[in-house]
Amino acid sequence: MHFLAIAIAAVAGSMVALQAPINSALGKHTSVLGATVVSFAIGLATAILVALGRGQLDGLAKAAEAPWWQLTGGILGAIFVALAITLVPKIGAMQFAAAAVMGQIIMSLVVDHYGWLGVPAHAASWERVLAVPLIGVALWLSRR
C-alpha cells in the first residue's frame, strides 16, 4: 500500500507540473488574477460535480464550524497558482517545480517534526534533513 500511495503522490506531482505551464499560458490570454480565477472556478465546478456524484456534499455546512486555519487551504492554493502563472514564463516549468518542491520539502519537514496541523509527528532525522540540500542540488542542476 505504501508504494501505491507514493506512486499516486508522484502522479499528483506530475499534475502540478502540468498545471503551472497550463495556467501560465492561460494568463497570457487573460491576466495573472484572471487565469487564477478561471483555474479555481473550473476546479470548483469539477469538485462540486465529483462530490455530487459521490453524495459527499452533505457535510459542507459543517465547514463553518472548523477552526479558521483549516479554511486557508484555498488561499494558499490561489497564491501558488498566481505565482506559477507569474514565474513559469520567467524561470521555466522545471525551475518553478524544483523550487516549489524544495519549499514543500522544507515546510513538510517542519510540519512533520512538530506534528503541526493535525499531522502525526515524525522526527527530523538526519536522512530527512539531508533531503533538503539534495533538493537544492537538483534545483541548482536544473539551471544548467
Side-chain angles (χ1 to χ4, degrees), residues 4 14 17-18 25 30-31 38-39 43 49 51 58-59 66 74 76-77 80 101 108 114 121 130 132 140 144:
L4 180 60
S14 73
L18 292 173
T30 60
S31 65
V38 169
S39 177
L49 289 174
D58 53 343
L76 299 174
F80 180 86
V101 167
S108 297
Y114 292 105
L130 182 61
V132 175
W140 178 77
R144 305 269 197 212

Side-chain angles (χ1 to χ4, degrees), residues 6-113:
I6 296 294
I8 292 170
V11 170
S14 73
M15 291 179 191
V16 172
L18 292 173
Q19 181 189 32
I22 288 169
N23 285 334
S24 182
L26 179 61
K28 293 176 185 169
H29 291 285
T30 60
S31 65
V32 169
L33 292 179
T36 302
V37 168
V38 169
S39 177
F40 273 86
I42 292 171
L44 175 62
T46 302
I48 289 170
L49 289 174
V50 171
L52 281 172
R54 293 181 171 217
Q56 294 184 5
L57 279 182
D58 53 343
L60 193 59
K62 293 186 179 195
E65 300 169 12
W68 69 269
W69 60 268
Q70 291 180 359
L71 304 176
T72 62
I75 296 167
L76 299 174
I79 292 168
F80 180 86
V81 168
L83 289 172
I85 292 166
T86 302
L87 296 174
V88 166
K90 293 175 175 45
I91 64 174
M94 185 173 182
Q95 279 274 282
F96 178 80
V101 167
M102 186 169 186
Q104 290 171 0
I105 294 295
I106 292 168
M107 184 54 70
S108 297
L109 181 69
V110 172
V111 168
D112 275 355
H113 182 74

